[in-house]
Amino acid sequence: MKKFLLLILILVVHSVTMASNWERDILVEGKRFLLDREGLQVDSQGHLHLAYGGTGAYYAYFDGLEWHSETIEETGQNTLGTMLQLDSQGKPIVAFYDQENKELKIAKKEQNGWITTAIIPYLDNFVDFTMKIDSQDEIHIAMGAKYSLYYIIY
């Protein structure tokens, strides 16, 4: 029993010590945000990229010195399932479900801004999706819509 309590004490002290080493930055304030399990990526230089939803789709990145944030598209209602992947050149590609227009969309970052395309319009029975990019920069999406499962290459 004493060994067990000592182990718990060591774990608690270790956890508190580790927690004090965390750093925290505020990226954006004043809006409600929705984060998804696949919204954070690290590029080849170790810089962070983040896609998140709210009343639109948004993107933020850390350039090594500071955070920058951009609006991909304002939709008016919550976006769902915002996911981020980086292509072979490190450019961000964001997929999200536009709840207001009932569309699954892909947004690609280009020199002049974001190019957004509805790849599945009028999707009324959306459930969830996941996205990956292969070595040829093709976008693969698996998507559930109530009683159906779809696979899309874009």
Side-chain angles (χ1 to χ4, degrees):
M1 180 69 170
K2 288 182 181 180
K3 288 181 183 180
F4 180 70
L5 290 175
L6 180 61
L7 178 61
I8 290 175
L9 180 61
I10 290 171
L11 289 175
V12 169
V13 171
H14 182 66
S15 296
V16 170
T17 303
M18 285 179 19
S20 68
N21 294 330
W22 285 85
E23 293 182 25
R24 176 177 84 166
D25 290 327
I26 296 175
L27 307 180
V28 180
E29 287 185 294
K31 286 188 176 183
R32 180 174 177 244
F33 297 107
L34 302 169
L35 294 174
D36 194 276
R37 64 193 170 279
E38 294 187 41
L40 182 65
Q41 297 289 326
V42 181
D43 66 22
S44 61
Q45 297 176 336
H47 297 155
L48 297 173
H49 299 258
L50 176 67
Y52 52 98
T55 56
Y58 308 98
Y59 168 73
Y61 65 95
F62 186 72
D63 66 8
L65 298 173
E66 62 184 337
W67 282 95
H68 305 271
S69 63
E70 304 173 7
T71 299
I72 297 170
E73 180 177 283
E74 286 289 342
T75 62
Q77 285 191 6
N78 288 338
T79 56
L80 301 174
T82 307
M83 296 192 185
L84 168 69
Q85 293 287 307
L86 302 175
D87 69 13
S88 62
Q89 297 173 3
K91 288 192 217 173
I93 297 174
V94 176
F96 61 96
Y97 179 69
D98 175 351
Q99 206 170 7
E100 181 172 320
N101 298 305
K102 299 184 184 325
E103 297 174 325
L104 183 60
K105 295 182 176 180
I106 295 282
K108 294 182 176 184
K109 176 75 173 182
E110 301 293 340
Q111 275 185 319
N112 298 330
W114 290 91
I115 307 296
T116 304
T117 305
I119 59 170
I120 302 180
Y122 315 115
L123 183 63
D124 198 18
N125 55 359
F126 171 80
V127 177
D128 202 1
F129 74 99
T130 188
M131 173 183 73
K132 295 293 179 193
I133 298 176
D134 66 22
S135 60
Q136 305 299 313
D137 286 338
E138 287 186 319
I139 302 168
H140 300 263
I141 295 176
M143 186 200 71
K146 254 201 179 147
Y147 302 108
S148 301
L149 182 62
Y150 299 94
Y151 173 70
I152 303 155
I153 298 177
Y154 181 76

